[in-house]
Amino acid sequence: MTIRTAAVAAVVATIAVGAPAASAAPKKKLPPPVCNLVVDDKGEPTSDGPLDILSADIATDSKKLTGVIRVAGDPDAAGPTSPTGRIYHLSFSGASPSTNVFLSFIYAPTGQAATYGFFNKTTMVNEGVGAATLKIVGNDIYMTVPHSVYSAYGKFKPGNKITGLTASTGRMAGVFVSTDAYAYNPVTGDNAPEGKAYTSGARSCVRVGGPA
């Protein structure tokens, strides 16, 4: 046993000494994350911080879609300029769209809600379908849904283009009861210009689901 063990050790040593150093495979360079798909001038057309859009983004992974609207003031606080509340709206389209879809956040002194839905071409109104997961971090509003909720209105799976991204804010009128019982005609606060297209699944500066 001693002789055989020594022989194996010698062979291993020979291989170790004679083998050339393995070269590390070059790392594939990832594309930079996209960020600020929508950009809007601060203070125009309103200097009311909670209604003043700075930027907006959208990000997806294999299952979920997150939209974010960034404003210049706290969107989750009462204010004298919007005593009955505010609305924050993010609209966009998937590939081969049948209509636009949206994410919206309503803030009111008596309650708040984030919803998703679609633009009804027959009634010409945005029609809410269900609740979105909401996170507010600083002055940033994150809304998340499974992108399968939009499957009837376009294609949102990774690789498809998401276009027509626009963000808007407004002052609410009426009394908030629920997302289905808010009598309002929002007075426009800010309308950001249409942003760049986003390829679903692409790297983004936005974490899907919002900040951890």
Side-chain angles (χ1 to χ4, degrees), residues 9-183:
V11 172
V12 172
T14 303
I15 293 172
V17 171
S23 58
K27 291 183 178 179
K28 186 177 180 181
K29 189 175 182 181
L30 295 173
V34 295
C35 199
N36 296 329
L37 294 171
V38 171
V39 178
D40 196 33
D41 292 333
K42 185 176 182 179
E44 295 182 8
T46 178
S47 59
D48 187 355
L51 293 173
D52 185 10
I53 298 169
L54 302 179
S55 64
D57 273 300
I58 202 165
T60 66
D61 58 18
S62 61
K63 294 183 179 180
K64 295 181 179 181
L65 178 150
T66 294
V68 56
I69 301 175
R70 306 177 185 95
V71 291
D74 187 356
D76 193 25
T81 61
S82 307
T84 57
R86 310 179 199 92
I87 185 169
Y88 300 84
H89 190 78
L90 197 62
S91 177
F92 47 94
S93 297
S96 305
S98 62
T99 189
N100 289 352
V101 296
F102 69 83
L103 290 164
S104 282
F105 167 60
I106 293 175
Y107 167 78
T110 54
Q112 58 178 253
T115 60
Y116 70 88
F118 69 100
F119 178 71
N120 189 320
K121 292 181 177 179
T122 301
T123 60
M124 300 299 287
V125 297
N126 287 310
E127 193 166 306
V129 175
T133 300
L134 173 69
K135 282 186 180 180
I136 298 177
V137 181
N139 298 337
D140 304 342
I141 305 161
Y142 295 85
M143 296 167 284
T144 302
V145 292
H147 50 65
S148 59
V149 302
Y150 296 128
S151 60
Y153 316 111
K155 299 176 181 179
F156 292 86
K157 291 182 178 180
N160 287 300
K161 288 283 187 182
I162 298 176
T163 58
L165 183 63
T166 59
S168 62
T169 62
R171 296 179 178 90
M172 305 300 291
V175 178
F176 179 86
V177 178
S178 74
T179 54
D180 297 321
Y182 201 135

